[in-house]
Amino acid sequence: MGCVPSKGRRQFPGYEDPVFLAAQTTFSVSEVEALFELFKSIGSSVVDEGIINKEEFVLALFKNRKKENLFASRIFDLFDVKHKGVLDFGDFVRALHIFHPSAPLEDKIVFSFKLYDLDNTGFIERQEVKLMLLALLGESEMKLADETIEAILDKTFLEADTNQDGKIDLSEWHSFVLKNPSLLRIMTLPYLRDITTAFPSFVFYSEVDEAAA
Amino acid sequence: QPVAMNAFELISMSKGLNLENLFGT
């Protein structure tokens, strides 16, 4: 392809070669290039500096830059594997790869476990789950009495915490989500299969030959 | 009936966990 010369993609901080990123992920080279169009779009919504900051990430999710959200913030932090406080293109592609319909189930299970292990102790604790339930209630304006929340937590930990030590480890989480596959629905984005159709403009900026894509 | 659901089913309803929205930009 290469219809139009690239307009300085390599000037983007953390820009990585699409061929290199495709080799590391489920994405084809064309899909990585289409993701770059999405990346640019999100990363230029507040400050156009070639990276995605947390504000831009939350804005993309909520269309509201003032909103703070525990879950969006947690996902951002997990995408930010190098703990730089911003996402570069490589971070973005490698993290989204886990959400691809063809990504390994095991990767989705581990990512979802980390998502809910808010304090990174290697366990999902009851207090963390309660905090997330309260955050959900705040976000949705759904109202639940404290005793209802405790009943939900009791039921959840009875099912998930099989050794009944008050916390859910990765092995327990693994068994729990296999019995409740709907919990992994958030970990798969069917849209990623059609990313080149969603961002066809990648063709105009492609730097690779069709044969390589 | 929220009480019939487990906590994670409820939590996964959060808009902040729905990355589909990223593609709407």
Side-chain angles (χ1 to χ4, degrees), chain A residues 38 41 60-63 69 71 99 116 129 132 136 139 155-156 176 183 186 189-192, chain B residues 2-23 25:
Chain A
L38 171 63
S41 158
L61 282 176
F62 287 93
K63 316 286 177 259
N69 183 275
F71 304 108
F99 292 79
Y116 298 136
V129 184
M132 291 187 275
L136 172 80
E139 182 190 317
K155 171 181 149 58
T156 304
F176 186 62
L183 296 183
I186 56 162
L189 300 170
Y191 209 90
L192 288 174
Chain B
V3 78
M5 300 173 87
N6 73 54
F8 297 102
E9 285 172 308
L10 283 167
I11 290 165
S12 62
M13 291 161 62
S14 166
K15 204 175 168 190
L17 291 177
N18 186 354
L19 294 192
E20 289 279 339
N21 294 325
L22 284 181
F23 303 99
T25 50

Side-chain angles (χ1 to χ4, degrees), chain A residues 69-71 74 115-119 124-139 146 149-150 153 157, chain B residues 7-8 11 14:
Chain A
N69 183 275
L70 171 72
F71 304 108
R74 184 71 188 145
L115 183 62
Y116 298 136
D117 175 17
L118 296 178
D119 57 4
I124 302 173
E125 286 144 306
R126 187 176 170 115
Q127 267 314 104
E128 287 169 316
V129 184
K130 183 164 185 176
L131 185 67
M132 291 187 275
L133 277 178
L134 293 173
L136 172 80
L137 295 176
E139 182 190 317
D146 195 56
I149 293 173
E150 293 296 332
L153 289 168
F157 276 77
Chain B
F8 297 102
I11 290 165
S14 166

Side-chain angles (χ1 to χ4, degrees), chain A residues 50-184:
Chain A
I51 46 173
I52 297 176
N53 63 38
K54 193 175 276 191
E55 186 185 2
E56 288 165 333
F57 191 78
V58 174
L59 176 63
L61 282 176
F62 287 93
K63 316 286 177 259
N64 176 354
R65 72 178 60 175
K66 287 187 182 140
K67 195 148 189 164
E68 285 194 19
N69 183 275
L70 171 72
F71 304 108
S73 174
R74 184 71 188 145
I75 289 198
F76 181 92
D77 292 343
L78 289 177
F79 274 39
D80 177 20
V81 289
K82 297 189 280 276
H83 309 294
K84 297 187 297 334
V86 292
L87 305 181
D88 62 35
F89 183 52
D91 298 330
F92 187 68
V93 172
R94 275 184 285 269
L96 275 183
H97 139 80
I98 298 168
F99 292 79
H100 193 284
S102 305
L105 181 66
E106 201 55 42
D107 290 355
K108 294 176 188 285
I109 293 174
V110 170
F111 189 98
S112 62
F113 181 80
K114 287 182 186 167
L115 183 62
Y116 298 136
D117 175 17
L118 296 178
D119 57 4
N120 307 309
T121 54
F123 300 99
I124 302 173
E125 286 144 306
R126 187 176 170 115
Q127 267 314 104
E128 287 169 316
V129 184
K130 183 164 185 176
L131 185 67
M132 291 187 275
L133 277 178
L134 293 173
L136 172 80
L137 295 176
E139 182 190 317
S140 64
E141 292 169 10
M142 191 195 307
K143 289 193 170 36
L144 289 178
D146 195 56
E147 52 266 36
T148 308
I149 293 173
E150 293 296 332
I152 292 168
L153 289 168
D154 286 344
K155 171 181 149 58
T156 304
F157 276 77
L158 196 61
E159 289 172 25
D161 175 22
T162 46
N163 69 4
Q164 294 296 298
D165 65 352
K167 52 196 183 184
I168 300 165
D169 62 32
L170 181 58
S171 157
E172 289 169 331
W173 179 250
H174 194 282
S175 308
F176 186 62
V177 294
L178 291 182
K179 278 186 231 149
N180 298 275
S182 67
L183 296 183
L184 288 180

Side-chain angles (χ1 to χ4, degrees), chain A residues 19-38:
Chain A
V19 176
F20 176 69
L21 285 171
Q24 292 185 332
T25 63
T26 320
F27 298 116
S28 67
V29 177
S30 294
E31 287 169 335
V32 172
E33 294 192 313
L35 282 172
F36 188 66
E37 300 304 304
L38 171 63

